[in-house]
Amino acid sequence: MTPNLSLSRCLAICVLFSICRLAYSWPKPVAIAPPLPILPLPSFSQLKWQRREIIMFLHFGVNTFTDSEWGTGKENPAIFNPVGLNAGQWVDAAVHAGVSLMILTAKHHDGFCLWPSKYTDHSVAASPWRGGRGDVVAELVAAAKSRGVDVGLYLSPWDRHDRRYGRNKAYNEYYLAQLQELLNKYGSVREIWFDGAKGANALNMSYYFGDWFSMVKELQSSINIFSDAGPDVRWVGNERGFAGKTCWSTINRTALSIGNGSIVDYLNTGDERGTDWLPAECDVSIRTGWFWHKSQSPKSLSKLLKIYYNSVGRNCVLLLNVPPNSTGLISETDVQRLKEFRTAIDTIFTVNLAEKCSVRASSQRGGDGRGFGPENVLDGDHLWTYWAPTAENEGDQWIEFRSEGDEPLRFNVIRIQEAIGLGQRIRRHEVYVDGQRVAIGTTVGYKKLHRLEMGEVKGYRVKIRITESRGLPLISSIGLHFDPFWHPKPLGR
Ligand code: FUL
């Protein structure tokens, strides 16, 4: 063996070793730990709820047959006869709209029960529908299950029919009995809706919310309880589907009470210093009323999109009511509008122009290649992969996208999402295109959508600056999108 040969062997081995090391990044560096969370945090069920984005409300009952919104409680059950009821059609409409949770009014203020409750004779059992053997709750649950859709229930506390109403102990026992029926009999229920409305016969009535909430959690551990004051999901403070421009998922529950009109602004914006994670749900009807009325028709696509930007695009979940008609079906006009709505959302958000760009940031936790780089905002909407800056440049942490092509980027919507699993943090942010500011905003949360008032912008460099935040901002996703349905009025008109 000549000395020369062994030298070249040595060299070959070294080269091979380096290639292997590079290829397998061996030895693997130990991962950098994620930053500490900033409390409060969402629960598992709250996080799951938030990611649904759009859920559906179904107002259905005796009002559907009397052309009214608030029944008197004196309705004759004989009027309830939706001869063509097909819960499968409701679920199909929901699935086409991208909805994964449907909430039914099991009992509205009129007291008529859509399931054969054994604690009252004012229910479907006293109606001619299905010969008195029908159960709307059961039919919805079965249809939803077969399509992998979840179910929620609304059980109105205010009851204009039941004679126990007004007698605290008797009515609270009755109400709890019905909760037990609904939550024991129909499998998994993902949301329960406690409405705050009360009328003249309710003045002396106290609801034992503590007992109700404990019973609900005992029977369904993964359920979210909705009310003006949570404890899991809060009302947004109006029925128009609009959250505040600033919208924190945090709030102080001690400042809230159910049915209290003076806190609607607080509910609308939440509270940066809030000690409770209690995100807002925006309930609004596709039509003017909550119940079906022959004379009403669904809102236009542009109205629905505006609602979407002002609810989902402001860190909330949109609870869109679509009322079945007196035949027991969702009207074809509403089905079509829902399809258009979903198609529009998909058209806007399927293409993310930022994906064609190079991305850099003011800093990244642990340095290059350690898991917290700006490229994480382009891996879909994975909540647990995110760009994390270092503590340097606090007050001006930024992430920038540069177009790689010759053509400028053309967009009119900017989407920003925080890694809320570690807390909601961003207080203020700004967006620049080629050095010109095109948007300013406050909170981000799960999802912030800026639909630009100036309309479409063109440019090569898009910079998002986080100018104020509680601790380090953590961004899980960013999108630059084009909304072809957006035609802003020219400024000054
Ligand atoms: C309100 C009720 O009075 C309406 O009828 C409707 O159910 C709406 C969702 O909540 O408080």
Side-chain angles (χ1 to χ4, degrees):
M1 192 194 282
T2 64
N4 253 356
L5 193 62
S6 66
L7 190 67
S8 57
R9 258 195 197 163
C10 268
L11 266 173
I13 289 169
C14 280
V15 169
L16 207 69
F17 180 75
S18 311
I19 290 174
C20 286
R21 218 189 129 141
L22 270 180
Y24 299 106
S25 328
W26 178 84
K28 250 198 159 108
V30 172
I32 305 268
L36 289 173
I38 293 189
L39 302 184
L41 300 182
S43 69
F44 182 83
S45 301
Q46 286 172 320
L47 215 45
K48 184 166 175 156
W49 164 90
Q50 185 96 48
R51 303 188 79 172
R52 297 180 189 273
E53 298 199 356
I54 304 180
I55 58 181
M56 195 187 274
F57 224 166
L58 298 152
H59 274 67
F60 188 54
V62 283
N63 294 342
T64 311
F65 300 84
T66 58
D67 204 18
S68 55
E69 280 290 312
W70 279 5
T72 59
K74 298 194 169 62
E75 291 79 10
N76 185 340
I79 59 172
F80 185 84
N81 196 14
V83 287
L85 191 144
N86 176 3
Q89 188 255 6
W90 306 355
V91 177
D92 279 350
V95 168
H96 285 135
V99 163
S100 63
L101 171 67
M102 301 170 78
I103 303 177
L104 173 69
T105 52
K107 176 181 94 164
H108 202 251
H109 308 328
D110 50 70
F112 181 78
C113 299
L114 293 185
W115 82 102
S117 170
K118 64 181 178 197
Y119 300 104
T120 178
D121 53 9
H122 199 55
S123 81
V124 280
S127 81
W129 178 63
R130 306 250 193 273
R133 283 182 298 281
D135 181 339
V136 186
V137 176
E139 292 196 19
L140 174 63
V141 165
K145 195 169 180 190
S146 75
R147 303 290 308 264
V149 170
D150 291 324
V151 167
L153 296 171
Y154 170 119
L155 184 69
S156 171
W158 182 31
D159 190 320
R160 302 179 92 179
H161 174 83
D162 199 85
R163 290 222 312 275
R164 284 160 281 198
Y165 196 84
R167 288 189 284 134
N168 285 337
K169 183 158 175 283
Y171 183 73
N172 276 283
E173 283 177 354
Y174 171 60
Y175 191 86
L176 271 161
Q178 294 204 315
L179 271 181
Q180 289 167 56
E181 272 188 322
L182 289 172
L183 301 180
N184 272 327
K185 234 174 111 175
Y186 296 99
S188 182
V189 175
R190 297 311 172 120
E191 184 165 335
I192 181 108
W193 231 80
F194 292 114
D195 195 304
K198 258 188 184 182
N201 75 333
L203 297 178
N204 299 322
M205 185 69 226
S206 323
Y207 301 142
Y208 299 171
F209 285 117
D211 295 17
W212 299 3
F213 294 171
S214 302
M215 178 64 71
V216 167
K217 290 282 178 177
E218 178 186 5
L219 299 177
Q220 299 267 344
S221 60
S222 62
I223 200 167
N224 283 312
I225 300 179
F226 168 99
S227 82
D228 291 3
D232 302 309
V233 176
R234 76 175 196 260
W235 186 42
V236 75
N238 64 62
E239 293 182 338
R240 287 173 292 117
F242 278 40
K245 277 189 179 161
T246 294
C247 189
W248 291 96
S249 292
T250 50
I251 205 160
N252 279 323
R253 277 200 69 212
T254 48
L256 306 179
S257 52
I258 301 177
N260 172 2
S262 68
I263 53 167
V264 289
D265 292 340
Y266 189 59
L267 290 172
N268 200 237
T269 57
D271 186 344
E272 175 191 339
R273 280 175 290 275
T275 51
D276 303 285
W277 187 273
L278 187 52
E281 187 171 273
C282 301
D283 58 320
V284 61
S285 186
I286 196 168
R287 293 164 167 238
T288 319
W290 291 102
F291 285 87
W292 176 81
H293 305 277
K294 199 167 190 255
S295 58
Q296 295 180 357
S297 47
K299 292 184 166 65
S300 66
L301 176 62
S302 71
K303 276 204 179 127
L304 289 180
L305 284 173
K306 186 170 182 184
I307 288 171
Y308 179 82
Y309 281 104
N310 289 329
S311 55
V312 177
R314 290 183 180 172
N315 187 33
C316 292
V317 166
L318 168 59
L319 173 58
L320 182 63
N321 178 64
V322 186
N325 59 27
S326 53
T327 309
L329 296 171
I330 293 179
S331 303
E332 208 37 48
T333 47
D334 303 47
V335 171
Q336 285 314 323
R337 192 52 42 82
L338 284 174
K339 279 189 185 154
E340 285 172 35
F341 186 36
R342 173 45 56 188
T343 306
I345 293 170
D346 291 346
T347 306
I348 301 164
F349 294 102
T350 304
V351 176
N352 179 4
L353 298 172
E355 281 170 9
K356 294 192 300 197
C357 297
S358 59
V359 56
R360 61 192 193 106
S362 50
S363 65
Q364 54 184 294
R365 182 178 177 82
D368 260 359
R370 305 305 297 275
F372 297 98
E375 65 283 355
N376 288 344
V377 306
L378 296 174
D379 65 355
D381 66 351
H382 294 299
L383 217 51
W384 295 98
T385 56
Y386 44 87
W387 163 57
T390 63
E392 286 162 55
N393 317 329
E394 209 190 315
D396 188 19
Q397 276 141 338
W398 53 260
I399 179 165
E400 186 182 64
F401 302 89
R402 263 172 198 266
S403 162
E404 293 288 272
D406 299 332
E407 292 293 310
L409 304 163
R410 275 182 57 214
F411 59 94
N412 53 13
V413 174
I414 299 143
R415 173 177 54 84
I416 313 173
Q417 300 190 235
E418 273 187 81
I420 57 165
L422 290 157
Q424 187 180 348
R425 297 159 178 245
I426 297 174
R427 284 196 193 107
R428 255 172 221 292
H429 64 281
E430 302 180 347
V431 184
Y432 291 79
V433 175
D434 290 347
Q436 292 271 33
R437 193 166 71 186
V438 298
I440 53 172
T442 54
T443 48
V444 172
Y446 170 70
K447 187 174 272 189
K448 171 73 191 183
L449 298 173
H450 286 281
R451 184 165 64 164
L452 299 178
E453 282 305 326
M454 62 185 64
E456 174 191 316
V457 289
K458 289 186 195 147
Y460 293 88
R461 276 182 304 122
V462 181
K463 190 176 207 172
I464 295 173
R465 292 178 55 201
I466 312 303
T467 50
E468 267 185 56
S469 118
R470 298 165 68 224
L472 298 171
L474 307 176
I475 298 188
S476 69
S477 186
I478 292 181
L480 304 175
H481 304 280
F482 185 74
D483 176 345
F485 309 94
W486 177 226
H487 307 293
K489 291 197 187 81
L491 292 174
R493 279 214 195 158

